[in-house]
Amino acid sequence: MTLRSVDPALASAQLKELRRQIPLLYALLTVNALIVSYTHYAIAPVWMSVWVPMALVFVCMVRLASWVRPHRQVIDGAEAIRALRRTTILACLLAMTYIAWSLELGRYGDVRQEAHVAIFIAITVIGCIFCLMHLPQAALGVTAIVTLPYLIFYSSGNDAVYTAIGINIFLVTVVLIRVLLNSFDGFRKLIRTQAETERLNGEITKLAHTDMLTGLPNRRLFFAEADARIARCRNSDQDLAVGVIDLDRFKAANDTFGHLLGDQILEAVGQRLQSVFETHGMVARLGGDEFAFVVEGSPEHALFVATRACESLSQPFHLGDIIVSIGASCGLAMMRDVEGSSRALYDGADYALYTAKNQRRGFAILYSPEHERRIRSERAVEAALQLADLEAEMEVHLQPIACIATESLKAVEALARWTSPHLGRVGPDVFIPSAERAGMIHRLTLTLLGKALACLDQLPPDIRLSFNLSAHDITNRETVLSIMSLVRRSKIVPSRLIIELTETAVLRDFEAAEASVRLLHSLGIQIALDDFGTGQSSLSYLRQLPIDKVKIDRSFMAGAKDGKGREILSAIIAFCESMRMQCVAEGVETVTQLRFLKAVGCNDFQGYLLAKPMPLGDLLVWIEDHNQSSRRLIHGG
């Protein structure tokens, strides 16, 4: 075995062991050389008994100092091999010098001095073998250099005693060499086992920190690395961003094409993100279709990289014969805005992501404290809804809808009101979206409709009830069937119920919405299109759906102050008249607006000019007062 073929890990381990043993060898050589020199001081030449041993001692002390000085704990494999090669060469050179000096010194003195030299050489061989046990090349080289001249020198004479000693030393040396080789073989196997164990541990650690599908770091490694980078940036007074990326339409693609193709999409997403963040930071897959990244630098730089990631993921994925488009939204939080660990930054980025998903889908948004306050409020509402006694806490307020021509009350719109024992009054614009996110909208809708129908039962039979359904309601067949069942059980004439739908609700899933609308209409329930004019493709909806009424959005009332706004409003009312549909104006607040609506032929109106939403008891009183004041609005203004 040559040093060129030594495994670097084995070489490092050899050098580590030699640092503990070789100092002992040099100490042994120094002491023995001084003792032999002392016993030959009076009989050998001065240069041989003083100067040569002093030179040898000096070399040994220099080498001893180099071995005992502090060294690096971690040794490079190539450096260790060079050190072992250097040690082997120096050991052989020193052995040559020692044996030449010893044999020459053995020529002086009597039998005792000669025996002392023989013992010195034997001890040197044994000491070298044991101290160089972890470097067999050096041990064998020194043994050969010392033992062979020794045996030749003492066996060449006619003294049988020295010949016997030489044979004994030779046999002992052979045994020690065998022990040396066996010991080193065991040492080598141990080091290789340790190296293999470390390699396997390294692979296990890598697997434990790697997402197997995408090859990206996983959640555990991401947060550990993010914390390390945060600490480094704080020490260097630099900024850092943690971002969260969520795929926008992945679930639909996964459900449509299957989980196998879904995995291929995630793998391709990982490759694109790796390409984007390769020179900008670290990106990881946290689980599902959620990814996260760390980018050092300014908010502008972080937002630039996050935008690149969203743009990259918005490009179609070509997977065999299938082309899939998904897209992604991103939220970022800067270290300057959020104090704490990577978990705190992640939470901030998650708040921003939530805002992006709801307001700017497909874009990246930087965190602000307002995001957190709003989302914490929404989550508090969701939590309170989960625990709410809907029957006890929810109530219905009713807002009158009157005929413009006769001022007679024609209908009331049911508006949800919630008083939480924990949060107090919560507006419908807050708790209804929360109920949709929490999956409670079905139960909430049926509870409110039941209360509204109970109110309608106490109103005059010529008054209708207008009730709003969300996009989740109208596209859910189970909810629609439950509504129909509830109407039948209430004994209310179905034609007294008006279901209001927004254009957005219909647009979400037109086929499902159309089927539900026709099912409700078949029972006799009237259908009204709410917030007309604010959505898209309104005319096509009116043509395809059985719409009975159109409610003009209140924004058109606010714009009726100028000539252009009045022209638009007149056109909408004229269109409804041409389609033979009732037209209801929302948000009427002034007599001027009311007179204009009457002049252009609008059928009905509602708004604060007529009345605000009120509980049933107040409405009954209001109806009685309203019937007693004939034509109060038109002529009393």
Side-chain angles (χ1 to χ4, degrees):
M1 178 184 64
T2 64
L3 285 172
R4 294 183 182 275
S5 63
V6 174
D7 179 72
L10 176 60
S12 298
Q14 287 178 270
L15 188 58
K16 184 178 180 181
E17 293 296 326
L18 288 174
R19 284 175 178 171
R20 292 199 292 262
Q21 298 168 354
I22 283 188
L24 299 176
L25 174 60
Y26 282 117
L28 174 66
L29 292 175
T30 298
V31 173
N32 285 350
L34 290 175
I35 293 175
V36 171
S37 174
Y38 174 76
T39 58
H40 288 73
Y41 177 72
I43 57 177
V46 174
W47 67 270
M48 187 176 296
S49 61
V50 177
W51 300 117
V52 171
M54 291 299 293
L56 293 174
V57 168
F58 175 77
V59 172
C60 289
M61 295 303 294
V62 170
R63 294 300 300 159
L64 176 63
S66 70
W67 281 98
V68 297
R69 65 180 173 83
H71 294 82
R72 296 196 309 270
Q73 293 296 320
V74 180
I75 309 167
D76 177 73
E79 181 183 351
I81 292 175
R82 288 194 297 270
L84 295 180
R85 186 180 294 115
R86 185 170 56 250
T87 300
T88 301
I89 294 172
L90 290 176
C92 291
L93 292 175
L94 199 57
M96 291 178 187
T97 306
Y98 261 96
I99 190 61
W101 171 66
S102 301
L103 294 177
E104 184 64 26
L105 195 63
R107 298 178 183 276
Y108 299 91
D110 55 18
V111 175
R112 291 178 301 168
Q113 281 85 8
E114 190 174 358
H116 188 189
V117 171
I119 294 173
F120 166 72
I121 295 174
I123 292 174
T124 300
V125 171
I126 295 172
C128 288
I129 290 175
F130 278 105
C131 293
L132 295 173
M133 184 176 295
H134 293 92
L135 185 56
Q137 298 93 334
L140 294 175
V142 170
T143 301
I145 290 171
V146 174
T147 304
L148 292 178
Y150 174 82
L151 294 176
I152 294 172
F153 181 83
Y154 284 103
S155 300
S156 60
N158 296 322
D159 194 324
V161 174
Y162 282 107
T163 300
I165 292 175
I167 294 173
N168 290 336
I169 294 297
F170 173 76
L171 294 176
V172 170
T173 302
V174 170
V175 172
L176 290 177
I177 289 175
R178 182 70 264 176
V179 172
L180 163 72
L181 295 177
N182 289 340
S183 176
F184 182 75
D185 187 58
F187 173 75
R188 179 171 53 191
K189 290 180 179 177
L190 174 63
I191 296 302
R192 287 180 176 174
T193 301
Q194 291 176 345
E196 181 66 12
T197 301
E198 290 179 2
R199 186 187 66 81
L200 293 175
N201 287 339
E203 290 185 0
I204 292 172
T205 302
K206 182 179 179 180
L207 291 175
H209 291 89
T210 301
D211 176 63
M212 298 305 296
L213 180 62
T214 63
L216 296 175
N218 62 9
R219 175 181 291 268
R220 180 184 302 174
L221 181 57
F222 171 77
F223 284 108
E225 177 66 17
D227 281 329
R229 295 194 183 201
I230 289 171
R232 186 173 67 249
C233 286
R234 285 204 175 104
N235 292 332
S236 59
D237 197 26
Q238 291 183 329
D239 208 352
L240 173 146
V242 168
V244 182
I245 298 174
D246 189 77
L247 304 183
D248 287 335
R249 295 176 293 276
F250 174 75
K251 185 178 185 302
N254 198 42
D255 293 342
T256 301
F257 299 107
H259 295 290
L260 182 60
L261 190 119
D263 288 345
Q264 294 178 16
I265 294 174
L266 291 175
E267 187 176 359
V269 167
Q271 293 173 357
R272 291 191 185 182
L273 290 178
Q274 184 67 45
S275 176
V276 170
F277 289 94
E278 186 174 9
T279 58
H280 294 288
M282 170 194 180
V283 63
R285 182 189 177 207
L286 302 188
D289 62 343
E290 183 182 23
F291 298 81
F293 62 86
V294 181
V295 172
E296 297 178 19
S298 65
E300 294 76 16
H301 173 67
L303 195 58
F304 167 76
V305 177
T307 301
R308 277 191 57 196
C310 291
E311 291 174 349
S312 175
L313 297 181
S314 69
Q315 301 301 315
F317 291 86
H318 297 265
L319 305 171
D321 297 332
I322 300 175
I323 301 177
V324 181
S325 295
I326 49 174
S329 302
C330 177
L332 302 93
M334 302 301 299
M335 198 169 67
R336 67 173 67 176
D337 298 324
V338 180
E339 296 182 358
S341 66
S342 60
R343 296 281 179 176
L345 278 166
Y346 168 81
D347 288 340
D350 196 43
Y351 289 131
L353 173 64
Y354 183 90
T355 303
K357 297 284 281 188
N358 287 277
Q359 298 180 8
R360 295 195 67 198
R361 185 176 291 264
F363 291 88
I365 290 183
L366 275 172
Y367 163 85
S368 72
E370 178 59 31
H371 295 152
E372 183 173 356
R373 284 193 294 269
R374 182 174 59 80
I375 294 169
R376 283 185 181 274
S377 174
E378 291 178 0
R379 290 178 179 174
V381 171
E382 289 185 21
L385 270 176
Q386 297 283 1
L387 301 174
D389 181 351
L390 298 183
E391 192 66 37
E393 298 176 23
M394 292 290 172
E395 60 179 328
V396 171
H397 284 198
L398 306 168
Q399 185 175 29
I401 301 174
C403 174
I404 291 179
T406 65
E407 298 183 33
S408 60
L409 182 64
K410 295 184 65 176
V412 291
E413 181 178 358
L415 300 170
R417 296 293 184 265
W418 178 33
T419 302
S420 167
H422 306 290
L423 304 178
R425 294 296 294 268
V426 183
D429 58 325
V430 175
F431 71 77
I432 289 179
S434 294
E436 291 176 341
R437 288 191 299 270
M440 295 180 58
I441 191 64
H442 172 81
R443 187 159 61 95
L444 178 62
T445 295
L446 296 180
T447 299
L448 291 171
L449 180 58
K451 289 178 176 288
L453 292 175
C455 293
L456 182 62
D457 191 46
Q458 301 183 49
L459 294 176
D462 59 336
I463 295 178
R464 291 188 170 95
L465 172 72
S466 192
F467 187 84
N468 292 275
L469 290 186
S470 72
H472 289 75
D473 293 325
I474 198 62
T475 56
N476 188 315
R477 186 173 180 83
E478 180 185 355
T479 300
V480 172
L481 293 176
S482 298
I483 289 173
M484 297 176 68
S485 176
L486 186 60
V487 171
R488 290 192 182 99
R489 292 197 308 270
S490 69
K491 306 300 182 182
I492 296 294
V493 178
S495 60
R496 293 184 67 191
L497 178 61
I498 304 169
I499 293 296
E500 294 188 17
L501 305 172
T502 64
E503 295 181 46
T504 304
V506 176
L507 182 63
R508 180 180 178 182
D509 186 344
F510 182 78
E511 292 183 0
E514 182 183 18
S516 298
V517 167
R518 294 191 180 281
L519 196 61
L520 293 170
H521 203 261
S522 67
L523 189 64
I525 298 173
Q526 294 193 359
I527 305 298
L529 190 63
D530 195 14
D531 298 337
F532 179 74
T534 60
Q536 300 176 352
S537 304
S538 303
L539 300 182
S540 65
Y541 294 155
L542 290 175
R543 292 192 182 96
Q544 297 181 55
L545 297 176
I547 303 296
D548 299 294
K549 294 178 180 292
V550 167
K551 300 191 74 175
I552 303 174
D553 187 69
R554 65 182 64 249
S555 62
F556 290 99
M557 288 294 102
K561 298 177 182 179
D562 54 50
K564 187 174 181 179
R566 292 190 177 196
E567 289 178 4
I568 295 174
L569 191 56
S570 299
I572 293 175
I573 294 172
F575 171 77
C576 292
E577 184 178 358
S578 68
M579 296 290 293
R580 293 182 175 82
M581 290 184 296
Q582 293 272 323
C583 187
V584 182
E586 296 180 299
V588 179
E589 297 181 355
T590 66
V591 174
T592 302
Q593 292 174 342
L594 181 61
R595 288 174 176 169
F596 173 75
L597 291 172
K598 184 177 182 181
V600 296
C602 185
N603 303 107
D604 304 324
F605 78 103
Q606 72 181 104
Y608 283 3
L609 178 64
L610 180 63
K612 294 182 179 181
M614 63 191 82
L616 176 64
D618 295 344
L619 177 66
L620 294 174
V621 174
W622 182 88
I623 292 175
E624 184 177 351
D625 293 342
H626 181 75
N627 290 335
Q628 293 176 359
S629 56
S630 75
R631 308 189 66 83
R632 174 172 52 86
L633 291 174
I634 298 295
H635 302 291

